[in-house]
Amino acid sequence: DVKVTQSSRYLVKRTGEKVFLECVQDMDHENMFWYRQDPGLGLRLIYFSYDVKMKEKGDIPEGYSVSREKKERFSLILESASTNQTSMYLCASPARTSYEQYFGPGTRLTVT
Amino acid sequence: QKEVEQDPGPLSVPEGAIVSLNCTYSNSAFQYFMWYRQYSRKGPELLMYTYSSGNKEDGRFTAQVDKSSKYISLFIRDSQPSDSATYLCAMSEVNTGFQKLVFGTGTRLLVSP
């Protein structure tokens, strides 16, 4: 059974704080993705990684950075959190041989 | 105009009804089509996955793709209260290598007992 886990389900941070969101997958896949989900806007791709230490910007990378030091782990970093980054953050990774992406449970981040 | 359009709902139906959920898209390069189900405060879970045109059935769920009309559908037969969730369509181009998905905004479905 494929598994994508995220470090926190709920997080409350203050404006200006540095925030780390971690994602771990056990599918031994090269590709991992970070999305944010907002009402009326759906899921939007922030960053993705296609190998260790490799990363590509998605559709809305501003205000975010990522780190991929190990194949199974992909971190999303908010360098200086702002209130407009309050959102649901979802990590995803595909199964080994398909286009099917599997999602983690999500981290609901509130920035006050 | 968004690349993928999906009616946000909510769509309210009685238990046992047949439900039809739909998405339209503008990018003719999309070849892979998926439906995800998302319960409140949870991550999306893959429900159905189809390649190119045609139908695919899995229990009470049928996914349909009409590439000529750029239109995909998910049918749920004998709907149950446990089907109450948000349904997201997603699609990707062939040969991207990176499985970059484009999502609809989701349709919220409410099935009442």
Side-chain angles (χ1 to χ4, degrees):
Chain A
D1 201 18
V2 299
K3 204 159 190 181
V4 179
T5 56
Q6 294 182 230
S7 52
S8 306
R9 293 297 307 277
Y10 299 94
L11 217 49
V12 180
K13 295 291 181 181
R14 293 193 180 275
T15 302
E17 277 193 78
K18 191 168 186 175
V19 182
F20 292 86
L21 304 180
E22 288 213 325
C23 175
V24 177
Q25 51 100 354
D26 68 356
M27 294 169 286
D28 194 35
H29 205 285
E30 291 74 23
N31 299 352
M32 295 185 75
F33 302 80
W34 274 107
Y35 296 87
R36 64 176 282 177
Q37 184 177 29
D38 301 287
L41 297 175
L43 276 82
R44 294 178 292 166
L45 183 64
I46 305 171
Y47 265 97
F48 63 101
S49 169
Y50 49 93
D51 206 344
V52 176
K53 295 194 187 293
M54 306 296 279
K55 60 187 179 186
E56 286 281 338
K57 292 180 180 179
D59 299 318
I60 50 163
E62 296 77 22
Y64 303 94
S65 62
V66 289
S67 172
R68 183 106 181 261
E69 297 294 324
K70 292 185 177 181
K71 192 177 186 180
E72 68 271 17
R73 192 178 297 268
F74 190 32
S75 300
L76 180 69
I77 303 159
L78 287 67
E79 295 289 343
S80 177
S82 64
T83 54
N84 63 13
Q85 293 178 309
T86 291
S87 186
M88 173 74 139
Y89 289 88
L90 292 158
C91 175
S93 187
R96 273 305 302 172
T97 56
S98 74
Y99 280 72
E100 305 167 40
Q101 283 192 22
Y102 290 88
F103 283 84
T107 296
R108 187 165 293 278
L109 172 68
T110 302
V111 183
T112 62
Chain B
Q1 185 186 359
K2 289 181 181 173
E3 212 169 358
V4 178
E5 298 276 1
Q6 187 175 6
D7 189 325
L11 177 62
S12 295
V13 301
E15 183 175 356
I18 295 175
V19 175
S20 172
L21 304 166
N22 311 294
C23 288
T24 58
Y25 62 95
S26 56
N27 185 353
S28 57
F30 286 143
Q31 294 281 352
Y32 294 83
F33 303 92
M34 284 138 275
W35 285 96
Y36 285 85
R37 178 175 61 196
Q38 186 176 23
Y39 291 113
S40 183
R41 288 185 287 277
K42 297 280 179 70
E45 55 178 328
L46 184 66
L47 202 56
M48 298 284 285
Y49 166 73
T50 53
Y51 168 69
S52 196
S53 283
N55 290 4
K56 186 175 183 178
E57 192 173 315
D58 184 3
R60 296 184 296 111
F61 299 90
T62 300
Q64 201 170 73
V65 175
D66 182 350
K67 291 190 69 184
S68 62
S69 303
K70 296 192 182 72
Y71 188 87
I72 69 170
S73 300
L74 177 71
F75 297 97
I76 307 174
R77 289 184 300 280
D78 187 26
S79 56
Q80 303 294 309
S82 59
D83 295 328
S84 297
T86 296
Y87 291 80
L88 302 157
C89 64
M91 42 200 85
S92 68
E93 297 179 15
V94 67
N95 292 333
T96 62
F98 302 131
Q99 296 101 11
K100 184 181 172 185
L101 295 179
V102 180
F103 284 85
T105 52
T107 298
R108 189 168 162 229
L109 171 66
L110 302 170
V111 182
S112 53

